[in-house]
Amino acid sequence: MRYGYFDRANDEYVIDRVDVPQSWINYLGVENWCTVINQNAGGYAFYRSNQQGRVTRFRPNGVPLDRPGHYVYLRDDEDGDYWSVSWQPVGKPLDQATYRTRHGLSYSIFESEYSGIAASQRVFVPIGDDAEVWDVAVTNTTDRPRQLSVFGYVEFSFHSVQIDNENFQMSLYASGSDYADGVIEYDFYYEPWTYHYFTADPTPDGFDSMRDAFIGAYRSETNPVAVATGRCSSSQATTQNHCGALQHRLSLAPGQTVRLTYLLGHGRRAAGQAVRAKYAQPDAVDQAMADLAAYWAAKQAVFACQTPSEAMNTLLNSWTLAQAETCVVWSRFASFVEVGGRVGLGFRDTAQDVMSVPHTNPSKVRQRLLELLHGQMSPGYGLHLFEPALFEENQRQDIPVGVKLPTVVPGKASDLIHGLADACSDDHLWLVPSVVAYITETGEVGLLDQVVPFTDSTVDQARRAETLGAQYAARFDPAPATVLDHLMRALEFSADQVGANGIAKGLRADWNDCLNLGGGQTALVTFLHVWAARELKGLLADLDRSPDLRDRLDEMIATVTAAANRELWDGAWYIRGYTRDGVKIGSSQSDQGRIFLEHMPWAIIAGVADDERGRASMDAVHQYLASPYGVHLCWPSYTTVDDTIGYVTRVYPGVKENGAIFSHPNAWPIIAETMLGRGGLAVELYDAMAPCLYNDRAELRGAEPYVYAQFSYGRDHEFYGRAQNPWLTGTAGWMYTAATKYILGIRPSLAGLVVDPCLPPEWDGFRVTRQWRGATYNIEVTNPDHVSCGVAAVTVDGHSVAPQAGRKRTHALVGSAQPGQSIAVSVRLG
Ligand code: GLC
């Protein structure tokens, strides 16, 4: 069953069957303001912080599943019939009305045709403004004049998710709203720094700012009393629950279209007036939309591919890029599933996310890298979850000193630090290749020498000693240090945290949050350690600097690689690790959790596995873990609780980390297969997860066909194949990286742009346009001999260039061009 289709020309996903059984959402806003909105205009907005900066309210995990939202109601003032531009909340029968939702890149459009009235509501957040614009158009398609009312409606929130969901004995009496000059101003009385507004152009004919006056008792957003009666009641007051409801009365001649603008924003009435003045002309709204389109077009132009795979073309050129960027900008905690209970950055998640988009969002990636480096403790490990805003000194200067407000005030940086007991064994390792990827993309070599604090550079030193233990604390200088020093500390931390056999200790968790090996050992981190060390060593070698550090890294790589191959090979695959009692996990001898996915590709990517072991272990992954819907995380699922293995054994079989198809690590075997030269298998794995390939059987996967989700239920569960937790998952970034840098094989290096594809042999080739450091590379890859990989011939602007010998095969290396230059690169595989 399908609910919609991809409009490739506009990079939109069009939902033309809006009764999707769950929410298919979109993210609006790329700076300070974020709106999470579904196909029914249900959802919420926040300013900067999804936890402390909520603008509109959401009733999460509710019934119905998407209330409230950012709604436009229409009412026929002659017969009293009313509906909403989005199907819900009024929900006219679908055989009487037509609805369509277009989710585009950072905008959504809701369209309806009912009772001879065509209407649309285009919602977006203009670049440069902390506001959401609704561009509403209403057309009379009948041949008689029509009298209509249009109502824009939002429900305001008590700002903090916590205050908005519990203990109203204070908050209910602290919020207020009033209307003047066409603007509803909403405030939270004891937080004199937070105001929101809702306004419209033209000036409305009516308003309500008290929610219960607009909706009415024993009613809901489906049938608000103000809409039913066609009359707002000019309600405004201090205390109680508030809304923005603005009514316009329209007389529409046959064929006439009227455009209205509603604006929801952060700031006081004056800010609302200024934003309204700015967008009063439809041209200004169109220009802001054009600016947003240009923002995305500029990103899309950095890497644009045309391949024989429609899935790749659709996903890589628009949706996966947008999803990866969304993860970098908004991190993980603002969706319909994560609704603000957590805030900030997950160290490992962000450290991985940023790897995927240094070419399209270098400034945000740079900002995130510096935040992560600051989120590192002086021994080298990362703070597992932290809010970088807390590093900003004097933040919240507007909170009066000495006055204790009931507000939920975010803590101080010293509240963030944690000791080894809460450290994960992998967090810091992801940061190393991310910094390398950023420098390789941008050429900003000087970043290595920039001095950045550790979190414990800036906190109370007594607290530091208490957290780390006096002896351990004394080993590390907490003074700010260069980025290179930060990265070396990360690698040395892992070098230090090994057991007697040289295998990495499993601390609180590694990438797999549910393997809690405290005292046991982890193959994944062992392999990641080698990979991260190799990446830094490669960069330093390319830069011809720090020979002593390179020697140290070589030594580290050799020692850990030897230990890995000595201790972790199980005969046909690599084990996942050891419990603290020395029992193997993920071994042919294990009854449950006999084989795991997530570490296996890293043995290959890190260069730990030789070809034979690499192929054997990936064959085992295909044999035991693969499915038509992607690769399972482990098999068989655990059914017996074992706390020496971890929480995974307390999760239902086939769910999340316990034998589900966890999406994120599905990208890694794709990379590994390209390294083994098996392009057909790589694309098979890519296709199994590609959301768009489920479009025509959307009921199976359930989630949005345009984005990856965190996991799909595994074969041990009755919901096998159903995908959960869409959008904010590291899958997007990794799938993007796997496909662009490894299947299509286009990746920058300090020596030049590498073209090293690994394709299904049946592919005839592909084209990519890649902008890199100001030049444009128009790359054409041909595959006349139908091989998977290996470059036989290269020409650059018609001149032939010798292919380069790589680790296992030849590739093209195109020296960097001058900024502004456009060069034609032609690569023949063979
Ligand atoms: C979640 C976490 C991520 C973790 C993964 C596997 O996606 O955000 O950090 O790696 O689960 O446990």
Side-chain angles (χ1 to χ4, degrees), residues 332 348-349 511-514 657 662 710:
R332 283 290 193 283
R348 84 159 71 89
D349 293 347
W511 173 86
N512 189 327
D513 267 334
C514 297
E657 283 86 344
F662 215 96
Q710 186 197 54

Side-chain angles (χ1 to χ4, degrees), residues 173-196:
Y173 313 108
S175 58
S177 60
D178 56 32
Y179 176 90
D181 184 33
V183 185
I184 290 173
E185 184 185 75
Y186 172 65
D187 77 281
F188 215 50
Y189 195 59
Y190 60 70
E191 282 189 2
W193 55 88
T194 312
Y195 287 85
H196 299 131

Side-chain angles (χ1 to χ4, degrees), residues 150-231:
V150 184
F151 303 80
Y153 176 76
V154 292
E155 180 176 340
F156 286 114
S157 146
F158 294 150
H159 301 171
S160 147
V161 151
Q162 192 188 336
I163 292 181
D164 208 44
N165 283 285
E166 58 191 48
N167 187 6
F168 305 118
Q169 61 82 25
M170 184 71 205
S171 48
L172 204 48
Y173 313 108
S175 58
S177 60
D178 56 32
Y179 176 90
D181 184 33
V183 185
I184 290 173
E185 184 185 75
Y186 172 65
D187 77 281
F188 215 50
Y189 195 59
Y190 60 70
E191 282 189 2
W193 55 88
T194 312
Y195 287 85
H196 299 131
Y197 61 81
F198 190 56
T199 182
D201 184 84
T203 302
D205 303 305
F207 75 92
D208 270 310
S209 65
M210 303 306 291
R211 179 194 69 184
D212 299 343
F214 181 81
I215 300 279
Y218 301 104
R219 288 172 176 264
S220 74
E221 296 88 359
T222 300
N223 55 356
V225 67
V227 177
T229 59
R231 224 171 304 117

Side-chain angles (χ1 to χ4, degrees), residues 470-618:
Q471 237 184 340
Y472 193 60
R475 270 178 61 189
F476 305 96
D477 182 356
T482 64
V483 169
L484 181 55
D485 193 7
H486 276 253
L487 302 186
M488 284 304 297
R489 291 218 204 172
L491 294 165
E492 291 293 359
F493 176 78
S494 284
D496 193 41
Q497 293 292 323
V498 295
N501 57 1
I503 299 303
K505 283 186 191 162
L507 305 176
R508 186 177 106 178
D510 59 27
W511 173 86
N512 189 327
D513 267 334
C514 297
L515 275 186
N516 314 110
L517 301 177
Q521 293 185 305
T522 156
L524 174 64
V525 173
T526 305
F527 300 152
L528 288 182
H529 187 199
V530 176
W531 172 59
R534 262 191 210 286
E535 290 283 308
L536 184 59
K537 149 79 198 302
L539 180 73
L540 296 177
D542 285 345
L543 295 173
D544 198 19
R545 65 175 278 179
S546 315
D548 46 334
L549 295 186
R550 272 147 61 193
D551 288 349
R552 170 67 188 125
L553 291 169
D554 277 335
E555 184 197 341
M556 218 182 252
I557 293 164
T559 314
V560 184
T561 302
N565 275 316
R566 190 179 63 235
E567 305 291 336
L568 300 171
W569 185 248
D570 195 51
W573 61 78
Y574 287 98
I575 61 167
R576 181 63 175 83
Y578 293 95
T579 67
R580 56 178 171 264
D581 304 324
V583 177
K584 286 180 183 173
I585 303 169
S587 148
S588 55
Q589 297 148 37
S590 318
D591 287 341
Q592 304 178 357
R594 192 171 305 152
I595 175 168
F596 277 73
L597 163 66
E598 66 267 33
H599 63 308
M600 217 72 91
W602 287 107
I604 298 159
I605 302 168
V608 168
D610 59 21
D611 259 13
E612 197 184 324
R613 286 188 172 184
R615 267 196 298 271
S617 52
M618 287 307 298

